[in-house]
Each structure stands twice: as structure tokens, then as C-alpha cells.
Amino acid sequence: MFYPTVYLPAIIEAIEQSINAHADEITLLDQTLGDGDHVSNLQRGIAALKAHSSEYPPLDWSGAWQKIGMTLMTQVGGASGSLLGTLFIALAKAGRGQELDLAQFARIFEQAVIAVKQRGKSDVGEKTMLDVLVPISDYLKEAAAQSKDFTQLWPELVAVAEQGVESTRTMRATKGRASYLGERSLGHIDAGAKTTQLIINAIVRILSTTDD
Ligand code: ADP
Ligand code: MG
């Protein structure tokens, strides 16, 4: 079972609320490890996504992901803009013409995470958004192998994202602005990992309360 794109406006709304509610905490994280602009970068992107909200429901997932990716790529500044843009554009490319079920989505998501790694020249363990994206990708593959249904995934996805964020606390940053801090990056979670978790939680919150 896959969900229709008609849920995208509600998902974007939920993401906006969640990022706004955690704005001060994330800004502080990005000020500590980076330059403090991560939330305002994302908020600019979310505002642009909202401005196009009515355009997503008539599209299939690939079309909607492409539109979202292009918007993020052009509207969100910083490293996160090009990386999140890459994630969605790669989802669109891998998902074009595909019949989506969990096994197919897990494969598509894995392709998209690989595209982010290539774009960022980075991998799991470097204190970035990939420390959430990679465990989520691994979990989706495992769930698909066990023939789970989407509805069974929600609590576990939330837990995997939470563990991913926490894993960044003890990592030394080697990519992005935080890498300039070296050892001083230890002891703080990564801002981009945190916002990736909030985005995943917002998606789960909307989809888990639908009865499709
Ligand atoms: P910038 O670092 O250019 O100011 P943002 O503040 O918007 O951009 O985003 C910073 C976040 O982007 C980091 O917290 C990290 O999660 C992610 N990030 C930065 N560089 C990379 C990279 N090379 N690979 C993966 N993620 C990265
Ligand atoms: Mg920044």
C-alpha cells in the first residue's frame, strides 16, 4: 500500500510547524557547530513549498518529488539546500514510472540516499543528516525484506530517526562547516540530522493518522 500525494500539503504544514517549534534549539546547534542559518534556510524552502502546495496532489509521487526537489535546490541556501534537493530529485528519478510498494520505495530511497552521499562526498558517521537518512534507508530495506506493511513501520521509523540523531552527539564532524571545529564538535547533535528527524516525524504523524 502506498499513500496518495494528496497528503503532501498536510505533510508540508506539519513539517513547518515542527521546524518552527524547534527553531531556537536548532539555530543554537547550527551556531555552535556551523553558522546558525540552517533553520532560516529551511524555513525559506518550506515557505516556497507551501506556495506551490496545490500543485502536488494532481501529480504522481515522482512528479511531486521532482517539483519539491527543484524548489528546495533553488530556495534553500547552504549545504542542506543542495543535499535535500538532491534527495528529492533522486527519489523522482528512481521512482519514475514505478508502482510503489514498500519494497520498491525502500529501493528508491536507497538510491536517493546514495545520491546525497555522492553530492556531499560524505557517508554515515560524519555527523550530518546522513546519520539519520542511512539508518532509515537500512530500516526500510529490512522492513521490506520482512514483508511488513507501511502501517507497521511508524513507531520504528520514529525510533530509528531518534537513534540516528543521538548517534551524532559522540561523532567528530568531518564534513561541512562543523568539520572546522574538529574535536570541539564532540558533545553536540548535528542540526541537519535533527531537522531530518523532525521532517520524518512530521511525515509519520500525518500518514499514521490516515486510514488509507
Ligand atoms: P551550511 O552548512 O552551508 O550553512 P545549513 O546550515 O543549511 O548549510 O546545513 C547544515 C547541515 O547540512 C549540517 O548540519 C549537516 O547535517 C548537513 N551537511 C553539511 N555538509 C554536508 C555533507 N557534505 N554531507 C552531508 N550533509 C552535510
Ligand atoms: Mg549553516
Side-chain angles (χ1 to χ4, degrees):
M1 173 186 54
F2 211 72
Y3 297 80
T5 53
V6 73
Y7 293 115
L8 273 169
I11 289 173
I12 293 165
E13 190 87 31
I15 291 171
E16 180 181 48
Q17 281 171 14
S18 183
I19 299 291
N20 288 349
H22 291 82
D24 292 348
E25 171 197 343
I26 297 156
T27 295
L28 194 61
L29 287 173
D30 194 39
Q31 278 167 350
T32 309
L33 296 180
D35 55 0
D37 63 349
H38 184 52
V39 166
S40 54
N41 284 342
L42 275 187
Q43 284 172 328
R44 196 168 47 248
I46 293 166
L49 290 180
K50 275 186 80 173
H52 294 280
S53 258
S54 63
E55 297 170 25
Y56 307 121
L59 300 173
D60 65 2
W61 278 103
S62 177
W65 285 329
Q66 177 71 22
K67 205 175 245 303
I68 289 168
M70 290 306 290
T71 301
L72 295 177
M73 189 73 94
T74 54
Q75 302 296 321
V76 181
S80 60
S82 87
L83 294 165
L84 290 172
T86 296
L87 180 78
F88 283 93
I89 290 168
L91 279 174
K93 190 167 167 230
R96 201 161 294 146
Q98 304 279 344
E99 203 52 65
L100 292 181
D101 56 14
L102 179 55
Q104 196 65 274
F105 180 69
R107 269 194 291 276
I108 291 167
F109 194 77
E110 184 179 30
Q111 292 302 307
V113 172
I114 290 170
V116 173
K117 288 183 186 179
Q118 286 168 348
R119 179 86 187 203
K121 298 185 176 57
S122 47
D123 210 333
V124 70
E126 295 191 284
K127 205 179 183 86
T128 71
M129 60 175 74
L130 282 168
D131 294 305
V132 173
L133 292 174
V134 171
I136 289 286
S137 176
D138 291 345
Y139 171 71
L140 288 172
K141 277 198 300 183
E142 196 184 300
Q146 294 167 5
S147 302
K148 287 192 182 174
D149 187 80
F150 274 103
T151 51
Q152 297 173 273
L153 308 188
W154 307 130
E156 284 170 355
L157 279 174
V158 168
V160 169
E162 162 86 38
Q163 282 162 21
V165 173
E166 274 309 312
S167 74
T168 65
R169 196 180 292 282
T170 51
M171 289 175 189
R172 201 169 68 82
T174 47
K175 289 286 151 56
R177 289 179 201 279
S179 63
Y180 308 147
L181 291 174
E183 294 296 317
R184 282 181 294 140
S185 67
L186 292 170
H188 304 278
I189 59 169
D190 171 62
K194 182 68 196 177
T195 53
T196 304
Q197 177 208 15
L198 295 177
I199 291 168
I200 290 164
N201 285 354
I203 295 169
V204 167
R205 202 156 54 247
I206 299 302
L207 294 187
S208 64
T209 50
T210 67
D211 44 20
D212 261 277

